[in-house]
Structure formats: C-alpha cells, structure tokens
Amino acid sequence: MLREARSARDWSLTEVGERTGIDRTLIGRYEKEGGSAPSPHALGQLADVFGISPTEFIDDAVGLVKYRAVLGLSQSELVEKLKDPDLSVQTYGNLENGRTRKLRAAQARTLASFFGVSEDEVRAAHQRDVARRERAQAGMSPGTGRPTP
C-alpha cells in the first residue's frame, strides 16, 4: 500500500523521507514484500503525509499488531495503558507474535475492550498471528504457503 500511495503521487523514496523524516532506506524496507514493519510512530508519520488512515498501510492478514499500531503504541505502552496484571509485556508480545497459541477469555475481553473491537475479532487476529508463526517455523514464505527459497 505504501508503494501504491507513493507512486500515485509520483514521489521518490527520498521525497517521502524528506516529508516524514524517515530515512529513505527504511521506507524502501517498508515497501519490500516481507520487509520491515514501520514502528507505530513511523506509521503515524506516513499516514499523516499521505492523508490516509494508518490502517490503510497494514495488511488485513496482520494480527494483533494492527490494532496496536493504529493506536501508535509500542507493546510496553499498550501493556502500561491496559493496567491488567495478567498481561505483561512478555505475555502480550508472545500473543502478538504467535508464540502463545491459546488466548484466554479474559485476555480477549481486555484487548477487545481496549482496541474497541469484538472479542471474536481479537481471537481471529491472534489466530492469524499463530498461523503466521507456524508457517514461518515450517519454512514457508509468509502469505504464500510455499516453501522459503
């Protein structure tokens, strides 16, 4: 989506970098298939420059990180705001990266309430995280279902 938005305006990586303050090399990594994901702060800067919602830059296949990134929060900032003794930074990080396969009902409730979405949406996002991790562990390219070359 970033590449499309940049191309639609006929901006170079350098121009986007100048407008956002983000290094052009990093922007190139954001555009690359399977490349780096922007930090919540960078995502906000890009959305502002292009005049679109941060959610437009995040693939719907992405799990919990989408909800967090749209709010512009790091994992530690999210956990601090949640004030849930059962969700430490490590616990949340393990949910978001698919290491923890089981999302507890209380965790789903807390996250759904905070993100302003349904518990089912939180569960589905977590399942995408788990599936992505399983594909990666099986040596599959993300999003393709084919072995990594």
Side-chain angles (χ1 to χ4, degrees):
M1 176 61 191
L2 176 56
R3 181 178 295 130
E4 290 173 20
R6 183 174 61 80
S7 294
R9 287 168 177 77
D10 200 28
W11 292 348
S12 67
L13 291 172
T14 301
E15 286 175 286
V16 175
E18 289 169 354
R19 293 169 187 267
T20 60
I22 301 170
D23 184 83
R24 65 178 292 291
T25 306
L26 194 52
I27 294 167
R29 288 185 200 146
Y30 297 158
E31 289 187 358
K32 184 179 177 188
E33 182 73 31
S36 301
S39 69
H41 179 70
L43 184 64
Q45 289 174 295
L46 291 164
D48 286 346
V49 164
F50 288 103
I52 59 177
S53 168
T55 59
E56 296 294 320
F57 288 117
I58 303 173
D59 186 343
D60 284 333
V62 173
L64 293 172
V65 71
K66 178 175 185 170
Y67 300 118
R68 178 179 58 78
V70 166
L71 295 174
L73 300 172
S74 67
Q75 289 180 354
S76 58
E77 291 168 333
L78 170 70
V79 169
E80 184 178 313
K81 289 183 181 291
L82 286 174
K83 298 184 188 317
D84 183 331
D86 292 329
L87 277 170
S88 67
V89 174
Q90 182 176 1
T91 301
Y92 179 78
N94 286 339
L95 288 169
E96 192 174 279
N97 67 30
R99 278 192 187 115
T100 301
R101 298 175 53 92
K102 175 102 169 97
L103 176 67
R104 296 191 342 242
Q107 293 168 329
R109 239 185 335 273
T110 297
L111 293 170
S113 175
F114 187 80
F115 292 141
V117 299
S118 72
E119 290 179 41
D120 287 340
E121 288 175 279
V122 168
R123 284 187 192 92
H126 177 252
Q127 284 306 308
R128 289 190 296 272
D129 292 328
V130 170
R132 186 175 49 256
R133 180 168 180 81
E134 288 174 350
R135 281 191 308 272
Q137 288 179 324
M140 306 300 257
S141 294
T144 67
R146 293 187 298 240
T148 303

